[in-house]
Amino acid sequence: MSFNYILLTLAATGLSLLLLGLVFIPLEKTFPARPGQKIFRQGWVLDLCFFLGQYLLWSSLVLGTLQYFSGWLQGIVPENFRKIIGEQPLWLQAIEVIVLSDFLIYWAHRLQHRVDFLWRFHKVHHSSRHLDWLAAHREHPLDSIYTIGVINLPAFLLGFNLDALTLLIAFRGIWAIYIHSNVRLPIGKLKMLIGAPELHHWHHDKERDRGNYANLSPLMDILFGTYTCPPHEPEEFGVKEKTPDNYVGQLVEPIVGKRRKV
């Protein structure tokens, strides 16, 4: 790893932090879901560590793992069929990717909340007691591999044109930050089609199985009976289990488990 690469990565990380802050902080102050929540609220240092870890350390691990498995998965579906898929109009590919990815991630996400082994990693993401754009980055790297892998599984298997769908992939990343932000915008019934932060805020309720598991559109939640959106914010975010309050502890505990008292 060259010195120039390190400098470029540091610069990109700093620029991303600055741009996201410039976009989301004014948005959260103008349309707050929880008025009065401070920018430097409790737990912001830990969430900043996750942001920096994600950009500086774990993104390459996640991408490398996905590239390894994508090469293996590409041989499952016949090449002729993959070619037909990849030659479809871009708009049709985008619709197919969204529907297939949302279906898969819906059920994969439900499993994260139902299966204790998966929950050990996923609860890191749910451990934040305050939601905003920075809290969106609190995610265990192994949980990221699971989630991003499932979302991209249709593209890996079926041969969708990933280069042509770059904007859609980028939008998913920004959307994930937006739905965690401390924002409530009045869009009425439209949120049942395109989603909204208040839906995901209820997903982060302290109850482990609150619903709203879908990724982009809540249609899967409506279809399978897990859609919920009361007209107010949850009383508490977070998890009922006791979790480490430091970065290393949050990374290590899901792997090694909790120490048993003698």
Side-chain angles (χ1 to χ4, degrees), residues 24-25 27-28 31-34 37 131-136 174-185 196-198 200-201 233 237:
F24 283 102
I25 291 175
L27 193 61
E28 291 180 340
F31 305 101
R34 291 184 178 236
Q37 179 169 295
L131 288 188
D132 59 15
W133 66 277
L134 191 58
I174 296 296
W175 185 255
I177 298 173
Y178 171 65
I179 61 176
H180 288 87
S181 65
N182 182 36
V183 169
R184 183 176 281 260
L185 287 170
E198 55 259 39
H200 201 67
H201 287 192
E233 285 287 290
F237 298 126

Side-chain angles (χ1 to χ4, degrees), residues 62-243:
V62 172
L63 291 175
T65 303
L66 293 178
Q67 286 175 357
Y68 173 80
F69 283 106
S70 68
W72 178 70
L73 290 170
Q74 285 172 3
I76 296 178
V77 176
E79 186 60 35
N80 288 340
F81 183 78
R82 289 170 54 85
K83 185 177 180 181
I84 293 172
I85 294 293
E87 291 176 348
Q88 294 180 112
L90 179 57
W91 64 268
L92 182 57
Q93 290 191 55
I95 293 174
E96 290 170 346
V97 164
I98 289 172
V99 173
L100 290 172
S101 295
D102 274 17
F103 177 79
L104 290 177
I105 197 59
Y106 171 84
W107 288 106
H109 196 177
R110 285 191 72 169
L111 285 177
Q112 286 174 298
H113 285 255
R114 295 289 181 88
V115 178
D116 286 339
F117 176 76
L118 295 176
W119 176 248
R120 280 169 55 177
F121 296 89
H122 189 56
K123 75 178 179 182
V124 170
H125 179 60
H126 279 263
S127 65
S128 182
R129 297 175 184 174
H130 303 274
L131 288 188
D132 59 15
W133 66 277
L134 191 58
H137 299 85
R138 186 183 295 203
E139 193 171 59
H140 196 284
L142 295 181
D143 194 45
S144 297
I145 291 173
Y146 174 90
T147 301
I148 299 174
V150 170
I151 289 175
N152 288 287
L153 187 59
F156 293 155
L157 280 174
L158 301 177
F160 289 103
N161 189 336
L162 286 178
D163 291 333
L165 297 174
T166 300
L167 288 178
L168 176 60
I169 295 170
F171 174 75
R172 280 187 183 275
I174 296 296
W175 185 255
I177 298 173
Y178 171 65
I179 61 176
H180 288 87
S181 65
N182 182 36
V183 169
R184 183 176 281 260
L185 287 170
I187 60 172
K189 297 294 184 181
L190 192 59
K191 65 173 175 270
M192 299 180 71
L193 177 63
I194 64 172
E198 55 259 39
L199 299 181
H200 201 67
H201 287 192
W202 275 101
H203 174 71
H204 275 264
D205 182 71
K206 205 166 186 178
E207 289 295 330
R208 175 171 161 178
D209 197 15
R210 252 312 190 173
N212 295 343
Y213 301 104
N215 184 242
L216 285 179
S217 170
L219 291 178
M220 295 298 168
D221 284 296
I222 295 172
L223 181 62
F224 296 110
T226 52
Y227 178 90
T228 181
C229 190
H232 55 86
E233 285 287 290
E235 290 186 12
E236 287 186 274
F237 298 126
V239 294
K240 293 182 177 180
E241 301 98 313
K242 183 174 176 57
T243 58

Side-chain angles (χ1 to χ4, degrees), residues 5-65:
Y5 176 81
I6 294 173
L7 285 179
L8 184 62
T9 303
L10 289 171
T13 300
L15 183 60
S16 297
L17 182 63
L18 176 63
L19 291 177
L20 289 173
L22 288 175
V23 170
F24 283 102
I25 291 175
L27 193 61
E28 291 180 340
K29 292 301 180 183
T30 306
F31 305 101
R34 291 184 178 236
Q37 179 169 295
K38 299 178 179 178
I39 296 174
F40 299 107
R41 39 73 184 172
Q42 182 185 17
W44 76 271
V45 173
L46 178 56
D47 288 327
L48 179 62
C49 288
F50 273 97
F51 178 94
L52 296 175
Q54 191 177 108
Y55 276 75
L56 297 175
L57 298 174
W58 308 121
S59 59
S60 57
L61 170 67
V62 172
L63 291 175
T65 303

